[in-house]
């Protein structure tokens, strides 16, 4: 037992509470909660499973189970993506405005998931550019599965699409997460064309195959 802390607890608590009142820019007491960074990272991994079936997550995919697998991923991802987008865009307390924000979040999530085939097309061109541009690359599998630069590009394509739809904060969380584990910093608002290739990302480590 920390007797000194117990003795000083009321004063220390009040001092910290006073700092909250004094520095309002760095507290969100009584406001709508921020999105979950951990959940957004989990959503990223599910999206990667949709983009690259058989590489990440469930690997024993067949023509018989692929439809169920994709449908299940879409339901899970759509639900959690909607909730996290809502946490990013809702800054109001009025019930009617909250309802409108939830409808907007659902639309953003649905529109994003509808764009998965388009993102896959862009990433297919990107991975081919990696293969063509890196003489050390032995296969597309190696690039998709291991290259930190390609992981950063994948996250950028996802985040950019969300930003273009009008989602705030989440795209930056995604690209900063990729930056933290690959050393490659790509702003989600960057305008990048087809066949994007990063020769050497600063961190040369394989991505998790979860």
């Amino acid at each position: 037992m920390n007797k000194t802390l117990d003795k000083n607890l009321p004063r220390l608590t009040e001092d910290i509470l006073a700092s909250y009142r004094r520095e309002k820019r760095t507290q969100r007491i009584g406001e709508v909660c921020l999105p979950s960074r951990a959940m957004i990272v989990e959503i990223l991994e599910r999206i990667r499973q949709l983009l690259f079936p058989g590489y990440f997550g469930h690997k024993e995919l067949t023509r018989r189970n692929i439809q169920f697998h994709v449908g299940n991923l879409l339901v899970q991802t759509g639900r959690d993506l909607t909730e996290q987008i809502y946490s990013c865009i809702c800054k109001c307390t009025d019930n009617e405005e909250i309802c409108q924000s939830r409808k907007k979040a659902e639309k953003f999530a649905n529109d994003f998931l509808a764009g998965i085939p388009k993102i896959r097309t862009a990433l297919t061109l990107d991975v081919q550019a990696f293969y063509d541009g890196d003489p050390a690359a032995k296969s597309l599998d190696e690039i998709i599965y291991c290259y930190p630069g390609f992981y950063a590009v994948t996250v950028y394509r996802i985040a950019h699409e969300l930003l273009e739809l009008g989602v705030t904060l989440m795209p930056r969380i995604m690209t900063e997460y990729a930056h933290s584990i690959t050393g490659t910093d790509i702003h989600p608002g960057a305008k990048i064309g087809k066949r994007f290739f990063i020769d050497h990302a600063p961190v040369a480590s394989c991505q998790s195959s979860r």
Side-chain angles (χ1 to χ4, degrees):
M1 181 180 293
N2 189 328
K3 292 183 179 179
T4 300
L5 178 60
D6 287 346
K7 179 180 178 181
N8 295 330
L9 189 60
R11 179 182 57 77
L12 179 58
T13 300
E14 181 51 39
D15 287 347
I16 293 174
L17 292 177
S19 80
Y20 295 161
R21 293 190 292 269
R22 186 169 58 251
E23 300 294 347
K24 295 181 179 180
R25 294 171 296 177
T26 51
Q27 56 93 346
R28 291 176 57 86
I29 300 168
E31 298 185 26
V32 176
C33 64
L34 288 167
S36 165
R37 185 177 183 273
M39 178 55 69
I40 288 172
V41 171
E42 186 174 325
I43 289 168
L44 265 179
E45 292 307 306
R46 289 198 210 132
I47 294 170
R48 280 215 301 165
Q49 291 181 49
L50 287 168
L51 291 169
F52 304 109
Y55 286 92
F56 310 105
H58 184 37
K59 298 183 181 64
E60 297 179 2
L61 296 176
T62 67
R63 292 184 179 181
R64 290 186 176 183
N65 66 22
I66 188 64
Q67 184 173 0
F68 173 81
H69 173 72
V70 170
N72 189 48
L73 270 177
L74 285 172
V75 169
Q76 291 180 337
T77 305
R79 177 196 62 215
D80 294 336
L81 186 60
T82 298
E83 192 62 32
Q84 295 307 310
I85 290 173
Y86 169 74
S87 295
C88 287
I89 67 175
C90 186
K91 294 181 171 60
C92 51
T93 56
D94 179 83
N95 286 337
E96 185 175 345
E97 289 184 359
I98 288 174
C99 183
Q100 290 301 316
S101 292
R102 287 203 173 274
K103 289 180 180 178
K104 186 182 291 187
E106 186 174 314
K107 184 179 186 306
F108 283 153
N110 291 342
D111 288 348
F112 171 80
L113 292 174
I116 290 289
K118 181 179 73 173
I119 299 173
R120 268 183 52 78
T121 298
L123 286 170
T124 299
L125 294 175
D126 292 333
V127 73
Q128 187 64 51
F130 271 77
Y131 184 74
D132 294 341
D134 184 359
K138 299 295 187 263
S139 66
L140 300 186
D141 290 347
E142 179 184 359
I143 294 163
I144 294 169
Y145 212 51
C146 293
Y147 277 36
F150 186 69
Y151 180 80
V153 172
T154 299
V155 174
Y156 158 75
R157 295 289 187 197
I158 294 167
H160 182 74
E161 185 68 17
L162 285 165
L163 191 65
E164 289 288 290
L165 288 171
V167 179
T168 59
L169 189 56
M170 184 185 293
R172 190 63 181 226
I173 292 173
M174 289 178 167
T175 55
E176 287 302 329
Y177 172 73
H179 181 199
S180 72
I181 63 173
T182 68
T184 303
D185 186 9
I186 311 175
H187 193 282
K191 302 295 184 182
I192 297 174
K194 299 177 181 178
R195 295 179 56 82
F196 182 45
F197 164 47
I198 299 174
D199 191 8
H200 288 287
V203 179
S205 60
C206 292
Q207 298 305 312
S208 167
S209 60
R210 290 185 298 109

